[in-house]
Each structure stands twice: as structure tokens, then as C-alpha cells.
Amino acid sequence: MKKPPYATVNKILMAFFLLLGFTGCQKSLKSGEENQLKVWIDSLDRESRKIGSKRSIAILDSVVATLDNQSVIDRIHYYKFMKVLSHRDSTLFENALMYTDSLLRQFSTAQVREQYPTEYSKALLLKGDDLLKQKEFYQAYRNYYKGKSFLTGIGEICECARYSSRIANISYKEENYYQAIEYWKQELKELAECKDPANFQLEFIEKQGGLRNIGTAYILRNEPDIALRYFRQADDFINKNASRFPREKNFIKYARIVILRYQAEAYALKGDTQTAERLIKSCLQHDKDIDWSLDVEKESRLILTKIYIETKQYAKAEEQLLILKGMPGASGNSATLSLHQKLQASISSGQGRFKEASDLLMASLEIDRIDKLKKNAENKSDVGQLLQQIQREHEIELDAEKDARQDLILNFAILISITLSVIAYLIWRSAQKSAMNLRAVTDLNGAITQSNIVLQDTVKALEQAEIENESVLKIVAHDLRNPIAAMISASHLVFWDQVPSYEQSEIINAMQQSGEKANTLIGQILESGADRNKISKIEIALEEIVQSCLDMLSHKAGEKQQKLEFKYEQVIVPVDREKIWRVFSNLLSNAIKFSETGGTIWVSQEKRDDTVLLSVRDNGIGIPNDIKSQIFLAINNARRSGTAGEQSFGIGLSICRQIVEGHGGRIWFESEIGSGTTFFIELPLG
């Protein structure tokens, strides 16, 4: 039982409002709203042929009214689809024209045209179609040419196919089949540039339609073999690409039926009526689910009638003609009536009813004469000539633009010439001044050279003074060492034979600690002298030097109940044994000094490709961020006391860096407050 039309409308409205309710939760997504309107339009497009254009227009208006803010693309989609719906109903022709004009007004600015180039070209296409129906041929083709030129200018070759298809169809209607074939071939070349595999219109409808249309034109040129070749190509294309568009099964089925209908006509033209009859019978059953299949059935019965007449099966021909006359819209125009009369005349003549055949033939000729007079009264265009005229006008416009550009270039060249002349004068003037300045600079260079000589002499004198100062400093430090050592020894002998009081013991301990600190400072002063860069290398096992330091300082670690762990890979390196011992001794001493009682110090020696990496890691107090940058400076404010109050002078690490770099290596550290510090020494193996 067939459902009433209002039930279908209610279903569509319900689906639309469900979609509207879903998207209402996502109004913040602007692009989602724009896409939603397109989804509504696509859904309505599939139902519009069942419910009619007027009801579809009413539904779309009610849906669009629910949109709060309509964007430019929303309005473009709206007016374009309204144009399509109005075009399908002949009573809405004037409305269709108004919708096209409204659509074009959306592209009033260059910004919108550049943002939506494809939509703009389609609007020009629709306007050209309107003008063509109004028999404004020149303006129609001008719109076509304008749209195609715009697309070509921005590199949108794919969309140009729509224009080539239009010109091909017009040429076909004007019976200029050769020109139509060339434009359809051009359309196929342009479609090959399309990059959107989901576009059913361009990727499927237009491609298979172009191949089929070329075959149809070859039938009318009486070249059935070439026509069949193109029909086979169209059929192969459908079979290969049908699976890409599962939602378009009805149209794909319709496309196959149309190809069968034209193949039958081609075989009939070749004289193979048996094959033609077999193929055409496959197209006789109208499928209500497929749009336009009724038209295919009409055309198929017409071809079958002609086949039966040609094979002198007049009874079957008359049966098919009667069915054809009874189909909806079969007698809608004079051309169809004339054709039916001619076919009936052929049948009657074949059955011996000559008077009836003569009357029918005369009546059909009279209809043809009247139609011809009407056509002659109409303006008929020559699409080829009009396009050539429009192209010539476009070339004239381009020449005018070219002349304007050349005038602009000429004026610009004159301006550049004047500018260059001014620049040349300024350069000449500057050269004159430069010559004068050069002489002054030459004199100045002489004075500077003399000053440099004086400065070099001064630097040499300062270097010599530094050497002498270091020498004096060493002498003083060396001379101080013996008295301080004597003072320390004397402090040990003062109470050799008796026990001192508490106050005396404190004084003696203070004297001994001060003496030890003075001795340490004197040692560092002597080590920081000029001979620190004098390195005498010998091949030696580095782990032996490290182990020697560990053995010597183990008693200091023991005093603070600290553990020393040493892991190493055996390696022979060329180093100055005494200086490298001094470096490692300083690092290990610092680790003991700045680690808490009961801590652990890890020493590691790792052999690499061409270097050896030595590291000393502790879990002590770490180095504050504000003194990290001063650690390796000779003069710094990085002095800190150890965890047990040990004194630090702050120049040991400066000496370490000088020694390591003197060996061609590098020294660095990583530290975190409260987590400990790791010092790294990297020395070359060769």
C-alpha cells in the first residue's frame, strides 16, 4: 500500500528536527553548523523528487529559520538548492531566476569569491543556464566563459569540466555533433584533474556520462562501431567504481540501463537487430525507486517499435506503440505526436492499410512543417561562433590590461632611471668625500700602529712583572712554610711532659688548626704558579693514581664514617702523574668535606672510544645555584665550610681545571641542593 504524501513529509521533518536537536548541543562549533545545513540539504535532495519541489522548499525554509547565525556559506548552500528545487518545477521558473540572482549577490566581494571559488563558478554556471533558457545566448556564453576563465586563473581545472559539459550539450542540441564530441573529450581531461574521490557528481556521474554522451554523438554521426567502443568504456568505468558509492545504488542501476538502451540503438544502426532486441528488452521494466527510469522505458519501447517495423514484425510493433502512447506524458508535445504518427504510418503500410498510412504521414508532415516554422522564428545560436566572439573580446580586454601594465612599467622605468641618476650623483659625491676620508684614515692608521707598538711593549712588561711577582710570591710562601711548620711542631712539644688545662688545650688546638690552614693555603699558592702549565706526560695506569688517592684520604673519610666505592675499567693514559694525582685528590677531598657523616662517595672510571671518563659522586649538601658559575674561577666568592666545619679557600678547582685542560681534557659537574654533586673529568687516550 502506497503511503500518503503527508506521511513522507512528516518523516523528513522529524528527521530534520532530530538533527537540529543534536546539533543544538554543539552550537559552539561553528563549522559543525555549516556542515549540518549541507547534510540537511543532501537529505532533502534525495526525497525532493518524491514529495515535490514546493513541499521541499517549505521544509527547507522552516529548517533554515531555526539557524541563529547564518554564515556566507550557509546562504550560498540555501540559495543554490532553492534554485535547483525551483528549476525542477516549471511553474516556479521566475522564482528560479530570482534565486540565481540572490546566489550571485553573495559573491559581491573579491574576498568571498577567493574564499569560495568553486561555489562562485557554480553560481556563474547557473546564471548562464538561466540566460540560455531566456534565449540570451551571448550573455549566457559570456557567463560560461567568465566562470571557466576564473577557475583556470586559480588553477581549479577540475571544476572547468562543468563548463565544457554545458557547451558540449548545447552543441549537441544544435546538431553540431563533432564539436560536442570535442567538448566532452575536453571535459574528461579536466575531470582527470579532480582530487576529491568522494565527489559523486564529478567522480562518477560526469565521467561515465561524458563517455556515454560521446558514444551517443557517434550514433548520430552514423558511426556505431566507435559509439559501441565508448559505451563499453562507460560500462567498464561503472563496474570498476560502483563499489566506491554504496549510497548511490539507484543512480548506478539507472546509469547501466541507459547504457544498455544506447548500445541497443547502436546495434540496430549496424543492422544487428537480434542483439539490439535482446538488449532493449532489459530496459522495458520501469523501476519506481529509480528516478528517470520511466523516460528510459519510453525511449526503449520507441527503439523496439522501430526494430519490429524494420524486421516486418508489424503486430509486435503496433503492440509496443500502443503501450508507448498510453504511458504518462507520451503525447505531451507535437514532436512526439508526429513521431508516433510516422511509426503508425509505417505499421499500417506494412499491413496493407495504405490509405490510413498516407493520412497519418501527411498529418505528421504538417506537424513537422509547423514546428519548423516555429524554430525558424526563434533565435538560434551558433555556440562556436559566439564563444569565439567572447574569446576575442576577452583577448581585447587582456590586451587593454597589458597596455595599461606596459604604461605603468614605462612610468616605473622612468622613475627608476631618475632614481639611478640621483644615486649615481650621490655615489660620485660620496667617492670624492671618501678619497679625503681615506687620506685621514691612513694618517690615523699610522698613529694607531705606533700606539699598538707601545701597547705591545707595555703588555710584555706586564707579563714580565707577573712572572717576577709569582717568583716573589713563591719565595715568600716557601720561606713562610718552615716557620709555620716549626710553630706547629712546637705546639705539639709545649706540654710534652704534662697535661694542659682545658683553656690551654683550646689555645694549642687553635694554633695547630691555624698552622694547618696556613700550610694548605701556601701549598695552593705554590701550585697555582706559572709552572702549572708545564706538563710532563708518561704512560701510566690511571686506576693506580686514583687508588693511591683513595688510600691516602681513606682516614679522612673514616673520621666522618663515610664509605668510598671505586669501580673502574683498566686504562693506560699519557698524563702528568703528579698533577693528575693533585686534581683527583682535590675532588675526592671536596667530596669528603661536603658530605654528611655516614655518607657514601662513588668513584667511577669508564673507558670510551678515544677518551676515559672519571667521575666522583657524593650524596652531600650540593652546590648552591648562586655560586655554580664561580666554581672554576681563580678569584671567586665560592668559599664554604664543610659539613664538619672544614675550611675551604676556593682556589683548588681553578687549579684542577687548568691542569685538566692542559692535558687536552675537560672538567664539569652536575649538582642539586640536598642531593649531592658529581664531578666529571674526561681525558684523551692518545
Side-chain angles (χ1 to χ4, degrees):
M1 179 177 169
K2 188 176 179 181
K3 293 181 180 179
Y6 64 82
T8 306
V9 176
N10 289 340
K11 281 177 63 180
I12 296 171
L13 276 171
M14 184 178 295
F16 285 161
F17 285 116
L18 283 173
L19 286 170
L20 183 62
F22 176 74
T23 54
C25 299
Q26 300 178 341
K27 284 188 177 180
S28 60
L29 301 176
K30 180 61 181 173
S31 61
E33 292 182 356
E34 294 174 357
N35 292 335
Q36 193 60 63
L37 180 60
K38 186 69 169 62
V39 171
W40 290 340
I41 289 174
D42 290 342
S43 178
L44 184 58
D45 188 24
R46 285 191 287 272
E47 296 290 334
S48 61
R49 295 185 183 276
K50 297 179 182 179
I51 65 176
S53 293
K54 291 180 180 178
R55 287 179 179 172
S56 298
I57 289 172
I59 291 171
L60 183 59
D61 277 333
S62 64
V63 170
V64 170
T66 64
L67 295 178
D68 295 333
N69 297 313
Q70 295 182 27
S71 64
V72 173
I73 193 63
D74 284 338
R75 293 194 295 273
I76 290 172
H77 288 324
Y78 169 76
Y79 286 120
K80 184 173 67 174
F81 189 56
M82 283 297 200
K83 157 69 179 178
V84 172
L85 292 174
S86 301
H87 174 72
R88 291 174 183 171
D89 189 332
S90 58
T91 63
L92 300 174
F93 177 72
E94 294 297 329
N95 291 12
L97 298 179
M98 289 189 294
Y99 283 128
T100 305
D101 292 336
S102 297
L103 177 61
L104 274 173
R105 279 195 289 272
Q106 305 307 309
F107 301 95
S108 57
T109 65
Q111 181 182 358
V112 177
R113 292 193 291 270
E114 291 172 2
Q115 188 175 0
Y116 306 106
T118 302
E119 300 298 334
Y120 175 56
S121 68
K122 290 178 183 177
L124 290 172
L125 193 71
L126 292 173
K127 184 61 178 178
D129 293 344
D130 288 347
L131 292 167
L132 199 64
K133 288 181 180 178
Q134 295 173 299
K135 304 190 185 309
E136 298 286 345
F137 300 112
Y138 174 78
Q139 292 298 332
Y141 298 148
R142 189 167 181 82
N143 268 272
Y144 291 155
Y145 191 86
K146 182 179 179 182
K148 189 167 186 177
S149 298
F150 175 78
L151 289 172
T152 304
I154 62 173
E156 286 283 350
I157 305 301
C158 169
E159 289 293 335
C160 291
R162 301 179 191 272
Y163 290 88
S164 298
S165 176
R166 287 294 199 285
I167 302 302
N169 288 327
I170 295 168
S171 302
Y172 181 86
K173 290 178 182 177
E174 293 182 352
E175 300 178 3
N176 190 345
Y177 303 122
Y178 177 79
Q179 181 170 277
I181 288 169
E182 292 304 312
Y183 273 107
W184 273 318
K185 288 181 178 179
Q186 177 66 25
E187 177 196 15
L188 291 174
K189 291 179 182 178
E190 291 162 347
L191 288 171
E193 300 294 325
C194 295
K195 305 299 182 185
D196 182 6
N199 190 323
F200 183 65
Q201 178 70 32
L202 294 178
E203 287 291 329
F204 189 90
I205 295 178
E206 295 293 339
K207 286 184 178 179
Q208 63 87 26
L211 292 168
R212 186 194 66 225
N213 291 337
I214 293 173
T216 305
Y218 275 115
I219 287 178
L220 295 172
R221 284 173 57 86
N222 200 24
E223 299 181 70
D225 290 324
I226 300 177
L228 284 170
R229 189 172 72 223
Y230 277 97
F231 292 146
R232 280 192 293 271
Q233 290 181 22
D235 193 44
D236 290 343
F237 177 86
I238 292 173
N239 292 333
K240 182 179 179 181
N241 294 278
S243 60
R244 292 169 52 196
F245 304 99
R247 297 179 61 188
E248 306 294 344
K249 290 180 180 178
N250 283 345
F251 182 88
I252 293 170
K253 186 177 179 182
Y254 163 75
R256 287 194 171 106
I257 293 173
V258 173
I259 290 175
L260 285 174
R261 169 252 185 275
Y262 281 113
Q263 284 178 324
E265 188 172 358
Y267 278 112
L269 185 61
K270 287 182 66 175
D272 188 353
T273 54
Q274 186 176 0
T275 303
E277 182 180 355
R278 177 176 57 81
L279 292 173
I280 206 68
K281 284 181 178 179
S282 304
C283 309
L284 294 181
Q285 188 61 41
H286 169 56
D287 190 338
K288 59 183 178 59
D289 292 328
I290 302 177
D291 296 336
W292 313 294
S293 67
L294 185 63
D295 295 334
V296 177
E297 183 184 351
K298 290 179 186 177
E299 295 172 358
S300 300
R301 291 192 183 279
L302 182 62
I303 294 171
L304 188 58
T305 302
K306 291 179 180 179
I307 291 173
Y308 286 147
I309 291 172
E310 186 176 345
T311 57
K312 299 181 180 180
Q313 300 179 64
Y314 298 115
K316 291 183 177 181
E318 191 165 26
E319 179 186 356
Q320 291 298 324
L321 185 57
L322 286 172
I323 295 173
L324 187 61
K325 289 179 179 178
M327 293 181 70
S331 57
N333 57 68
S334 58
T336 303
L337 178 61
S338 173
L339 178 59
H340 289 174
Q341 288 175 340
K342 287 186 177 73
L343 293 173
Q344 186 62 58
S346 298
I347 294 169
S348 298
S349 176
Q351 292 176 334
R353 304 195 302 271
F354 301 112
K355 177 68 170 63
E356 179 184 338
S358 176
D359 291 342
L360 288 169
L361 187 59
M362 292 301 295
S364 69
L365 290 174
E366 178 62 18
I367 292 173
D368 290 345
R369 184 185 69 82
I370 294 171
D371 285 346
K372 187 175 181 180
L373 289 174
K374 288 181 179 179
K375 287 183 179 180
N376 290 338
E378 295 175 352
N379 292 326
K380 186 177 180 180
S381 69
D382 186 333
V383 62
Q385 289 183 359
L386 280 175
L387 287 175
Q388 289 177 3
Q389 178 185 347
I390 292 168
Q391 186 172 0
R392 284 195 297 271
E393 291 177 357
H394 183 66
E395 289 172 354
I396 291 171
E397 292 174 359
L398 290 178
D399 288 339
E401 292 178 3
K402 184 178 179 181
D403 291 341
R405 285 196 299 270
Q406 287 178 344
D407 290 342
L408 181 62
I409 291 171
L410 179 61
N411 293 333
F412 185 70
I414 293 171
L415 180 62
I416 290 294
S417 299
I418 295 172
T419 304
L420 289 174
S421 299
V422 173
I423 292 172
Y425 169 74
L426 293 174
I427 290 173
W428 174 82
R429 185 176 176 183
S430 177
Q432 295 295 317
K433 290 184 177 180
S434 296
M436 298 172 60
N437 293 336
L438 183 60
R439 289 191 291 270
V441 168
T442 302
D443 295 340
L444 183 59
N445 281 341
I448 291 173
T449 301
Q450 187 62 36
S451 298
N452 283 340
I453 294 171
V454 174
L455 286 174
Q456 288 175 2
D457 292 340
T458 304
V459 169
K460 288 179 180 178
L462 288 173
E463 290 175 349
Q464 184 62 35
E466 183 183 5
I467 293 171
E468 292 175 357
N469 287 339
E470 286 187 355
S471 178
V472 171
L473 186 60
K474 277 191 173 186
I475 293 169
V476 172
H478 189 272
D479 290 344
L480 285 173
R481 177 176 282 181
N482 291 332
I484 290 173
M487 180 185 71
I488 295 172
S489 299
S491 68
H492 285 288
L493 297 173
V494 170
F495 294 100
W496 177 261
D497 55 351
Q498 59 180 323
V499 178
S501 65
Y502 176 78
E503 291 82 1
Q504 291 170 337
S505 179
E506 286 293 319
I507 293 170
I508 293 300
N509 287 338
M511 289 174 60
Q512 291 173 352
Q513 289 177 5
S514 298
E516 291 292 343
K517 291 176 183 178
N519 248 346
T520 301
L521 180 58
I522 289 169
Q524 291 186 356
I525 290 172
L526 291 173
E527 289 173 0
S528 65
D531 63 345
R532 62 181 174 270
N533 294 323
K534 296 177 183 178
I535 295 174
S536 300
K537 295 182 180 180
I538 59 171
E539 297 282 345
I540 190 170
L542 185 60
E543 62 271 13
E544 292 181 5
I545 300 175
V546 176
Q547 189 62 54
S548 172
C549 291
L550 289 168
D551 293 341
M552 190 193 75
L553 294 174
S554 60
H555 72 282
K556 281 193 174 182
E559 290 175 359
K560 299 179 73 172
Q561 300 176 6
Q562 295 170 341
K563 294 181 181 179
L564 301 179
E565 294 186 4
F566 181 31
K567 293 183 180 180
Y568 64 90
E569 297 176 9
Q570 293 184 348
V571 61
I572 303 297
V573 290
V575 296
D576 187 317
R577 188 185 191 287
E578 180 185 351
K579 287 184 169 55
I580 290 299
W581 184 93
R582 189 183 304 164
V583 170
F584 185 72
S585 175
N586 190 289
L587 296 181
L588 186 58
S589 177
N590 284 346
I592 294 170
K593 183 186 302 182
F594 295 109
S595 293
E596 299 288 351
T597 299
T600 302
I601 297 166
W602 296 270
V603 180
S604 172
Q605 179 177 298
E606 177 186 352
K607 184 178 180 181
R608 297 188 172 180
D609 292 339
D610 53 0
T611 61
V612 58
L613 181 66
L614 193 67
S615 65
V616 179
R617 178 167 64 91
D618 62 60
N619 55 3
I621 60 176
I623 301 174
N625 292 330
D626 58 341
I627 66 171
K628 284 182 178 180
S629 60
Q630 304 179 44
I631 287 296
F632 293 113
L633 299 180
I635 300 174
N636 58 64
N637 295 319
R639 298 180 183 87
R640 294 185 300 155
S641 297
T643 57
E646 298 96 327
Q647 187 65 33
S648 174
F649 299 102
I651 62 175
L653 289 175
S654 170
I655 297 168
C656 289
R657 186 176 71 172
Q658 293 169 2
I659 293 172
V660 171
E661 291 178 352
H663 280 77
R666 62 191 185 106
I667 182 172
W668 72 97
F669 68 91
E670 296 174 358
S671 181
E672 290 186 14
I673 298 295
S675 297
T677 303
T678 304
F679 275 88
F680 299 92
I681 300 172
E682 189 176 52
L683 297 171
L685 292 176

